[in-house]
Amino acid sequence: MKNKIPELGIKVLLLFPILFLFSCHSSDQQNAQSSRRTDTVVIQQMQFVPASITVQKGDSIVWINKDMVDHTVKEEKNGFYSDTIHVGKTWKIAATENANYVCTIHPTMKGKIVIK
Amino acid sequence: MKIIKLLTKSAICFAVSTGFISFSANAQKAVNLTDPEIASIAVTANQIDIDYAKIAEQKSHDQAVINFAQTMAKDHQSVIDQAVALVTKLGVTPKDNATSKSLKAGEAKTIKMLKSKSGKAFDKAYINNEVGYHKAVIKEVETALIPDAKNAELKSLLQNVLPVLKSHLSHAEMVQKEVNK
């Protein structure tokens, strides 16, 4: 019994920093996740609004088609592709790198993603 | 470059002068259009471009021309669907009028002309007509349909159609440059 008290103390002393570090790491992860934003690009009047959007790496971007006709969002170098975004529908991605994109149905419509 | 511009202008002038692109009935702006007449013109003008697109989808072998035609067919059908939904909601019955009749007469001539051509000549004729047609429709929407529309929702729909038409014109001019090379 006498030996068990110091043994318990040692275990607590060893576990405390581990638990502390774990809680900090977990908190960092939660902070990173909760700090990730979702930004919006509205498709209206045959334009991406805003035409250039600046976001943090990992942030989400959602395109909302408020136009009269269907559109697409395609990265110019064969990266991401939304397929058809029908009138009133949305499409979302996590932004990972700078990108120039177009609407493949209306090639005069262009947009840009800039990572901070 | 100057030659291409000259040819394009000539093609549009020819099309307008021969009645292929015709808004002559309303060009003089003798009378204001009513909402039922505007609805009829809007549906007719969109349907005509779908009809041209279907011919292009069948006759052209140029992928840029085919893609453009597919976009015209889909977009103008989407506009018609929304226009029909709106006028149905408003209880407006589209009414034939001098402008819509003139448009149909112009369409008949254009379809005859397009069907008489093939290959590169067809592609040029189709895309030149698209450039001229969209210019004429944009002018009609800006100067007659929007100002004359009484109902706010109909006016708003026409205002939203305008950027679609302007985007189509830019797209047509882009394809025209390639086709006329």
Side-chain angles (χ1 to χ4, degrees), chain A residues 45-46 67-70 84 87 104-109, chain B residues 71 74-75 78 82 157 160-161 163-164 167 170-171 174:
Chain A
Q45 307 222 318
M46 306 303 278
D67 223 335
M68 291 191 79
V69 295
D70 295 344
T84 304
V87 174
T104 54
I105 302 171
H106 310 99
T108 55
M109 290 174 63
Chain B
T71 297
K74 279 175 66 177
D75 283 3
S78 183
Q82 288 169 68
L157 182 130
N160 288 329
V161 169
V164 178
S167 166
S170 300
H171 191 175
M174 190 192 286

Side-chain angles (χ1 to χ4, degrees), chain B residues 155-174:
Chain B
K155 195 184 275 281
S156 173
L157 182 130
L158 293 164
Q159 285 164 337
N160 288 329
V161 169
L162 208 47
V164 178
L165 296 171
K166 287 180 176 175
S167 166
H168 287 174
L169 175 60
S170 300
H171 191 175
E173 286 171 337
M174 190 192 286

Side-chain angles (χ1 to χ4, degrees), chain A residues 3-19:
Chain A
N3 287 340
K4 279 189 179 174
I5 293 169
E7 194 182 317
L8 188 66
I10 290 164
K11 281 181 181 170
V12 168
L13 282 172
L14 283 171
L15 275 173
F16 182 74
I18 293 167
L19 287 170

Side-chain angles (χ1 to χ4, degrees), chain B residues 9-167:
Chain B
K9 281 180 185 171
S10 303
I12 293 165
C13 287
F14 173 75
V16 173
S17 65
T18 51
F20 289 160
I21 302 166
S22 178
F23 283 96
S24 57
N26 197 53
Q28 291 145 11
K29 206 76 176 74
V31 287
N32 285 344
L33 295 162
T34 63
D35 284 356
E37 287 172 335
I38 290 170
S40 171
I41 294 165
V43 171
T44 303
N46 280 286
Q47 186 57 53
I48 286 171
D49 210 45
I50 294 171
D51 296 342
Y52 294 157
K54 283 180 180 167
I55 296 171
E57 284 180 72
Q58 286 170 0
K59 293 196 79 166
S60 181
H61 299 287
D62 185 314
Q63 199 54 52
V65 172
I66 295 166
N67 289 347
F68 175 81
Q70 286 171 342
T71 297
M72 292 308 104
K74 279 175 66 177
D75 283 3
H76 286 290
Q77 188 58 56
S78 183
V79 172
I80 287 176
D81 291 346
Q82 288 169 68
V84 168
L86 178 63
V87 296
T88 304
K89 188 186 99 175
L90 297 175
V92 171
T93 306
K95 187 183 170 195
D96 250 8
N97 55 85
T99 304
S100 57
K101 283 177 188 165
S102 169
L103 278 169
K104 284 174 191 164
E107 180 194 22
K109 288 180 187 174
T110 304
I111 286 179
K112 195 175 173 188
M113 178 272 291
L114 289 175
K115 285 188 171 172
S116 72
K117 297 186 185 296
S118 60
K120 196 85 175 165
F122 170 82
D123 292 337
K124 285 183 182 179
Y126 169 69
I127 206 69
N128 288 342
N129 182 66
E130 283 299 292
V131 169
Y133 186 70
H134 278 87
K135 280 183 180 173
V137 173
I138 288 166
K139 190 178 174 194
E140 183 73 2
V141 173
E142 280 179 330
T143 61
L145 303 197
I146 291 174
D148 286 357
K150 315 283 180 303
N151 181 277
E153 285 183 83
L154 180 61
K155 195 184 275 281
S156 173
L157 182 130
L158 293 164
Q159 285 164 337
N160 288 329
V161 169
L162 208 47
V164 178
L165 296 171
K166 287 180 176 175
S167 166

